[in-house]
Amino acid sequence: MPLAPGATLGPYTILSPLGAGGMGEVFRARDPRLGRDVALKVLPDAVARDPDRLARFEREARTVAGLNHPNIITLYSIEEDAGTRFLTMELVEGQGLDRVLVPGGLPVEKILDLAIPLSDALVAAHGKGVVHRDLKPANVMVSGDGRVKVLDFGLAKPAQSESRQDATQAMTLEAPLSSAGQLLGTVPYMAPEQVRGDAVDARTDVFAFGILVYELATGRRPFGGASLADVSSAVLRDTPRPLSSARADLPGELERIVGRCLEKSPRDRFQSASDLHSELRRLQRSLEGSSSTTAAPAADARPSIAVLPFNNMSADPENEYFSDGLTEELLNVLARIPELKVTGRTSSFAFKGKHEDLREIGQKLGVGTLLEGSVRKAGNRVRITAQLIKVSDGFHLWSDTYDRVLEDIFAVQDDIARSVSAVLQVTLLGKPAGPAKQNAECFELVLRANHLIRQNSEPAYTKAVALCRQAIEKCPDDARAWAAMAKAHVFAAFYGYADTFESHRAARRAAERALALDGGLSEAHLVMTWILGSLEFRWKDCLESARRAMALAPGASEPLWTVGVYEAAMGRFDEGLELVRKALEIDPLDPGAHVNHGRVRGWSGDLEGACESLRKALALSPEMVGGHSSLGLYYLRLGRAHDALEEIRKEVSAGYRDYSLSIAYHLTGKSAESDAALARAKTLGDQWGYQFASVHAVRGEIDDAFHWLDRSYELHDSGVLLTRVVPWFENLRHDPRWAKYLEKIGLPE
């Protein structure tokens, strides 16, 4: 009988359809007697007239009624109205496990949070002599509070009561309800004995359970094929790709458990769901124990300092570039001292213009001392005051005032740095002020250029390049001017403000010149890193350059997170995480440091950790480009579809917003909306080609995905670096073109 919203069935009012399958249609309905919503499962008329199907339907009622477990759906009653047979059941608010699955897999903690209650449900069912026989993602619900509920025992059948095996093995009747060779179940989740049409038992559910956990861990099924025949053949003959080859972060014990579940012969699998459940709980306890007992990192015993932005006391507010630049110069000099922990620029500059108590600032930054001061510039004369303050009691450890001409600025920097190092009893390395040939006018031009580069706009980069040219005309051997010019060209290319190829060539020429003049200049090695990696895809060379930059400025955060991101992008997650964590310690208020920490955590499979880092970044910089969309996509991978869409819609960049929406809409079943979002994104031009490739890959449009990957390579899109570690290309990994593409861009498979 047709059941439209508003129709009645017995005392129940139909509210909406919930789904349909071979064993009946399911509706949301209102029970007016108890004032609650329930799920009604109705047997279609055509099936009700079939004795075999009717028998199976009634058996489901008896099966479910005999199971009382928090992870199994509760049956309220079996009823009939005018010849229509139906069940009333607990209504589970949530989503199917098939909507929780994400490309690349879930974090191991989340996998176990889902797998353990699911295995417990099987223990309860098998203990009552019930085998599910159709365990698959669509038959497992995850409620809004995270509770797992197993649904649809429509294909389950009672076990043989006289079995010699333990009750939890739940051996089935020798004469199956289906005829010989008939398949009951869903092929991609079938055990080999089901595919062959043989008798099944509890170990059949164990096999399906292994498939589910494999899919939770990797985002894909262990047995694939272009047709049901191909899938069936794979189930019977193929050995799945090991979990460790798909994700290096998964514990070996989980791989062993899943591998045993997926043994072809039932006698080689876990012999009961109870044994399986015990193994999973043991793994969970060991992971929790290792997490809680891992020794906290030893407190950093080094002296620590933050260089706060020197106040601009000049009559001309435009001279702020000079006071900021002097602050950065001092910070860079001190960051070269391995014995000294120096807070990064972004965190220090977070307090610019604020009148907070110095002791509170020091506590927020986690440092023992603060260097602050002021700069007054008038023509060629400068007055610089500086004082070193002990955070714990506000005591002035050292202070001085310098009245000098501009040409003496390097001597002033030297004096301040040496005074600080003497007070803190650390060794100042080398000559802090840079090349002796640098003159005051060039120094001032480079300060202006660096000030503009931080503004991240097309006009600012253009002006920065022009200022660097002026400095180079006056001082052709000024390595810092060449390095600043290279940086301006690189960023203009990265952000699409200039032609990539022309900017690339100009950046390389400038960086090479800077290094030829001063091979010990950390910032020159760092900008060469970005050129070699993100523009030329020479990953080995770029890492060598980045490590050199890191060695030259061991206390600077930028080289640390740069090396960390590149290491992680190569699949070396442990090394990457350690480096980005150190960068974050140096610059705890830098939104970019939190973003990089989140990216590496996400690539390694720690999705909750990635969300935590991105939320911190957005708290520091709510308008950060790409921040909301990135967080939304992680929510999506965690199965939080509503939160994902809400977060993505906050994204300030139209490109990132529409690219992310096109993925989110597709994975939540909104094909038309996905198409529209992708069409909007494509109006922005080919510079978003890498993002287009991601969307097409997720949507299974393989040829389009490879087209845009190739286009991204041609355009030197810096996103190419991430191809190996982001989850969105999972659908491409078995295509012959995938390995060839990775080889072309120089990444290991």
Side-chain angles (χ1 to χ4, degrees), residues 35 63-64 134 219 236 304-305 395 410 416 421-422 444 454 494 499 508 512 536 603 609 615 635 668 671 747:
T63 296
V64 178
D134 194 26
L236 290 171
S304 54
I305 189 171
F395 182 75
F410 310 117
I416 294 174
S421 63
E444 191 171 359
R454 293 192 178 278
F494 281 175
D499 179 83
R508 182 171 247 294
E512 288 174 341
E536 297 183 6
W603 298 341
R615 284 192 293 266
Y635 283 155
T668 53
S671 298
L747 288 176

Side-chain angles (χ1 to χ4, degrees), residues 36-118:
R36 68 179 178 185
D37 289 355
V38 297
L40 301 185
K41 186 167 188 179
V42 179
L43 196 64
D45 291 340
V47 178
R49 291 192 293 269
D50 184 310
D52 285 343
R53 290 189 174 227
L54 181 59
R56 199 182 306 153
F57 177 79
E58 292 177 340
R59 187 184 68 249
E60 178 181 7
R62 291 193 297 274
T63 296
V64 178
L67 302 175
N68 181 16
H69 190 274
N71 299 117
I72 299 176
I73 193 170
T74 301
L75 170 67
Y76 297 139
S77 63
I78 178 169
E79 303 184 28
E80 181 178 352
D81 179 36
T84 299
R85 296 173 183 267
F86 61 96
L87 300 173
T88 67
M89 296 178 290
E90 170 189 10
L91 177 68
V92 180
E93 301 277 6
Q95 57 185 340
L97 196 64
D98 52 342
R99 306 309 291 271
V100 175
L101 294 168
V102 295
L106 298 171
V108 65
E109 296 83 6
K110 182 69 171 179
I111 295 169
L112 292 174
D113 286 344
L114 296 169
I116 288 173
L118 178 55

